[in-house]
Amino acid sequence: MKIKQVLNALEQFAPLPLQESWDNAGLQIGLTEAEVSGALLCLDVTPAIIDEAVALGCNLVVSHHPLLFRGLKQVADANDVQRTVRQAIKHDICVVSMHTNMDNAPGGVNWMMAERLGLTEVDFFARKTVGGIDCGSGVTGRLPHPTDARTFVELVKNTFGVACAHCNELLQRPVQQVALCGGAGDFLLDEAIALGADAFITGEMHYHQYFGHEQEIQICVIGHYESEQYTSEVFRRIIEKDCPGVRCCIAETKTNPILYI
């Protein structure tokens, strides 16, 4: 099977027109006519990820975050992006990224977060239509049973493997309706409140946005990497379903640049 067939499967699931205007999803590096020897699935593309792909015999890397956001004026050794580009080309590794198109797609990043939390009745909020496709930047769902805020926060921490979460004052009513957005989703806080959600989960939030929502909504911020870490599982499902026989490896290299000390 050729790399372009894997790329087509990913883009059929999360079409490129679903990405935000500032994004650069899709093919990053390489030739798609090559036969795929294996796909390494990851969140970020770094030199260590390319090393892992080489060691595993994978000539395709599928990432969530694009390696290339802006045009390169040189390909040398000045930073990690340049080094990664050189390394990928040297080893004939194709790099493909599915970013905000996968965030916005039905069944994408946020749906996986909801699945991991055991939410039911999952649907988009901040809904929009792009090219006739129903999509959205965040999803909402319900916990099977109402729970107190502290137990809810512990559920989120355990689900995403975080030692701590940034929260506002603990809600004094039960939490059941949950809105969420992986990554930097703080722009959806007001819409989550308007929706009537009891809680809002995201990866990043600005300091001043925590103010003024005491007993209105339970904010739970868990880290950008942590919130999107299961995106590779979405990639694997797509490839295994639509490209049977392609070997998929979820990267063991942890690319989160943030350490909790």
Side-chain angles (χ1 to χ4, degrees):
M1 186 169 290
K2 293 184 177 181
I3 288 174
K4 69 178 181 181
Q5 292 173 270
V6 179
L7 179 58
N8 288 341
L10 292 165
E11 291 185 1
Q12 281 196 356
F13 184 94
L16 293 182
L18 298 188
Q19 70 180 309
E20 302 298 330
S21 60
W22 47 263
D23 202 5
N24 186 40
L27 179 65
Q28 307 282 296
I29 299 171
L31 303 177
T32 62
E33 287 291 338
E35 184 176 336
V36 60
S37 62
L40 182 65
L41 316 176
C42 59
L43 199 64
D44 310 287
V45 191
T46 66
I49 287 288
I50 301 298
D51 285 341
E52 184 174 353
V54 172
L56 291 171
C58 295
N59 64 348
L60 172 62
V61 170
V62 180
S63 72
H64 182 44
H65 296 140
L67 174 63
L68 303 174
F69 269 113
R70 304 168 188 85
L72 292 175
K73 294 189 176 180
Q74 63 177 12
V75 180
D77 196 33
N79 54 48
D80 261 8
V81 172
Q82 293 184 23
R83 285 187 285 273
T84 304
V85 169
R86 292 179 64 242
Q87 198 171 350
I89 293 172
K90 177 181 178 180
H91 294 284
D92 288 325
I93 291 175
C94 187
V95 178
V96 168
S97 302
M98 298 283 115
H99 192 211
T100 52
N101 55 322
M102 189 61 72
D103 289 328
N104 290 329
V109 177
N110 297 313
W111 295 74
M112 176 58 76
M113 290 178 66
E115 179 183 321
R116 282 279 179 161
L117 285 165
L119 301 186
T120 62
E121 302 175 37
V122 178
D123 200 1
F124 288 118
F125 76 103
R127 184 185 299 275
K128 53 192 174 184
T129 302
V130 177
I133 301 171
D134 193 32
C135 59
S137 299
V139 302
T140 181
R142 292 176 67 82
L143 292 168
H145 306 286
T147 184
D148 65 273
R150 186 172 294 278
T151 302
F152 168 73
V153 172
E154 289 302 320
L155 169 66
V156 175
K157 288 168 58 181
N158 291 335
T159 299
F160 294 95
V162 299
C164 63
H166 289 184
C167 303
N168 61 343
E169 179 181 276
L170 288 178
L171 206 62
Q172 293 174 12
R173 69 172 191 270
V175 172
Q176 187 164 29
Q177 190 73 25
V178 179
L180 59 84
C181 179
D186 56 2
F187 66 98
L188 289 176
L189 176 62
D190 290 342
E191 295 197 49
I193 293 168
L195 176 74
D198 301 308
F200 178 61
I201 305 169
T202 191
E204 296 182 38
M205 182 170 289
H206 288 84
Y207 172 77
H208 291 285
Q209 289 181 279
Y210 289 85
F211 285 98
H213 302 300
E214 296 80 9
Q215 301 310 311
E216 184 176 40
I217 192 169
Q218 183 63 64
I219 296 170
C220 189
V221 180
I222 59 175
H224 195 123
Y225 179 96
E226 290 81 0
S227 69
E228 296 181 329
Q229 63 185 292
Y230 301 124
T231 304
S232 293
E233 294 184 14
V234 181
F235 296 153
R236 180 165 62 183
R237 287 182 185 178
I238 297 166
I239 296 170
E240 288 182 346
K241 175 180 177 291
D242 295 335
C243 304
V246 172
R247 180 169 57 97
C248 291
C249 306
I250 291 181
E252 294 185 3
T253 301
K254 303 303 179 187
T255 56
N256 190 357
I258 299 171
L259 301 179
Y260 299 89
I261 298 174

